[in-house]
DNA sequence: ATGGTTGCTTAGCAA
């Protein structure tokens, strides 16, 4: 199974790029974040023509997540459903070819100390609680998406510049570690231990031309899947050319039957 | 250097 995750930063603005990406890589599963559309405006028909089904959890203007798959997603669940009043569409889960796939868009957090940062840290805790309630670490599970955390300094081109921002702050990193402590492993990093691999570059300050990148998009897998990871890449070409998202897609190969 | 850019929605927010 070839699985990918990509924060497209508006599925309407990125529709042509999305279709071209699917042609180029033909992933079995593609998790999307920041759709910025309601379900009815998602380009279902054109994706179906490409051979992809979709599980969508959309929202007007902000957020929105989806799972595209070449076989029909089963047992689709939207949102954390933990009783917290929360209108933000940041999680969709579905079973695809016997693998539980969970596409997440973790809150960015804006500024350390802000209400948005508190929401980010709380959301990471809620995600861990969601896994505890609904799943077991011995299942075949992929949690992937824009986690909005660079887990270590090796994941940051210029650590001094990003130190103590919401993407690198100790509390955000601890939140991601606590999430993973449930039983998730960084599948991309297992395959690609080298430095210099990033998935996001700020539009501002010419982040991409200056090589000022961070690895904040992740593919986390449970132990049964970790051993099946045979390769991983980030498609930096998606960050180039006309109208790129600020994120590049992250891909892994899983040796599932 | 409180800058810079993009998307959604139309002046301001979020990233």
């Amino acid at each position: 199974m070839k699985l990918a995750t990509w924060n497209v930063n508006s599925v309407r603005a990125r529709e042509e790029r999305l279709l071209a990406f699917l042609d180029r890589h033909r992933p079995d599963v593609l998790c999307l974040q920041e759709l910025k559309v309601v379900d009815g405006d998602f380009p279902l028909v054109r994706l179906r023509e490409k051979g992809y089904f979709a599980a969508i959890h959309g929202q007007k203007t902000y957020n929105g997540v989806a799972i595209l798959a070449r076989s029909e997603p089963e047992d689709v669940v939207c949102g954390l459903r933990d009783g917290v009043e929360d209108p933000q569409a940041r999680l969709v889960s579905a079973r695809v070819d016997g693998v539980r796939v969970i596409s997440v868009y973790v809150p960015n957090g804006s500024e350390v100390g802000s209400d948005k940062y508190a929401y980010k840290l709380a959301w990471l805790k809620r995600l861990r609680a969601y896994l505890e309630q609904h799943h077991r670490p011995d299942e075949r599970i992929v949690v992937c998406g824009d986690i909005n955390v660079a887990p270590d300094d090796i994941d940051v081109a210029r650590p001094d510049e990003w130190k103590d921002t919401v993407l690198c702050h100790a509390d955000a990193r601890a939140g991601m570690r606590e999430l993973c402590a449930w039983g998730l492993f960084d599948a991309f990093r297992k395959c690609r231990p080298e430095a210099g691999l990033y998935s996001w570059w700020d539009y501002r300050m010419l982040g991409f031309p200056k090589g000022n990148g961070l690895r904040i998009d992740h593919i986390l897998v449970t132990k049964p899947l970790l051993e099946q990871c045979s390769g991983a890449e980030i498609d930096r070409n998606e960050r180039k050319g006309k109208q790129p998202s600020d994120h590049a897609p992250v891909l892994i190969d899983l040796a599932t039957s």
Side-chain angles (χ1 to χ4, degrees):
Chain A
M1 170 185 282
K2 187 173 188 176
L3 182 143
T5 183
W6 189 14
N7 179 327
V8 288
N9 185 19
S10 167
V11 74
R12 280 178 295 197
R14 229 62 65 198
E15 185 170 332
E16 298 308 320
R17 273 188 177 262
L18 171 60
L19 294 166
F21 174 82
L22 293 171
D23 280 338
R24 193 160 69 254
H25 289 279
R26 298 305 291 169
D28 297 290
V29 180
L30 172 59
C31 293
L32 299 173
Q33 299 87 37
E34 279 207 87
L35 305 178
K36 299 186 175 183
V37 291
V38 293
D39 292 10
D41 289 336
F42 191 83
L44 261 183
V45 174
R46 293 186 74 190
L47 288 165
R48 194 69 208 92
E49 286 166 0
K50 285 256 179 261
Y52 285 88
F53 296 93
I56 311 159
H57 185 30
Q59 182 185 332
K60 180 181 160 75
T61 311
Y62 302 119
N63 309 311
V65 287
I67 299 168
L68 306 183
R70 291 166 61 77
S71 51
E72 191 157 9
E74 302 172 290
D75 191 15
V76 176
V77 185
C78 295
L80 288 164
R81 303 205 300 187
D82 57 2
V84 175
E85 173 84 30
D86 187 348
Q88 302 191 31
R90 296 182 174 276
L91 181 149
V92 62
S93 167
R95 197 173 56 252
V96 181
D97 298 334
V99 175
R100 171 57 60 175
V101 178
I102 305 175
S103 176
V104 299
Y105 175 41
V106 175
N108 168 282
S110 187
E111 306 241 334
V112 171
S114 67
D115 290 350
K116 290 193 178 72
Y117 191 58
Y119 172 66
K120 173 184 194 167
L121 299 178
W123 205 93
L124 283 165
K125 282 189 162 61
R126 291 168 65 198
L127 178 56
R128 157 119 191 195
Y130 175 92
L131 294 171
E132 285 169 359
Q133 178 167 5
H134 298 285
H135 296 293
R136 292 172 31 155
D138 61 352
E139 295 174 54
R140 289 145 53 93
I141 302 174
V142 180
V143 176
C144 65
D146 180 357
I147 309 291
N148 264 318
V149 178
D152 294 289
D153 279 355
I154 192 178
D155 303 305
V156 187
R158 303 179 192 175
D160 292 348
E161 200 169 304
W162 292 91
K163 181 175 156 49
D164 292 336
T165 66
V166 292
L167 305 179
C168 300
H169 188 262
D171 292 340
R173 285 179 168 174
M176 183 173 167
R177 272 198 307 275
E178 279 301 302
L179 170 66
C180 290
W182 174 77
L184 296 171
F185 300 88
D186 187 338
F188 180 86
R189 189 50 96 192
K190 184 205 172 221
C191 291
R192 302 294 299 275
E194 69 267 35
L197 300 171
Y198 313 115
S199 66
W200 175 81
W201 298 260
D202 203 331
Y203 285 132
R204 296 167 290 187
M205 299 177 290
L206 304 172
F208 188 71
K210 292 182 180 174
N212 194 0
L214 294 88
R215 192 175 69 96
I216 59 173
D217 300 86
H218 302 290
I219 299 175
L220 310 173
V221 302
T222 50
K223 191 144 188 230
L225 286 178
L226 186 66
E227 282 131 35
Q228 324 246 22
C229 294
S230 57
E233 67 170 313
I234 294 175
D235 186 358
R236 291 178 83 261
N237 288 324
E238 267 314 333
R239 189 61 179 79
K240 301 175 184 172
K242 253 186 88 172
Q243 275 199 298
S245 168
D246 45 352
H247 296 253
V250 182
L251 304 96
I252 61 165
D253 282 301
L254 291 172
T256 54
S257 48

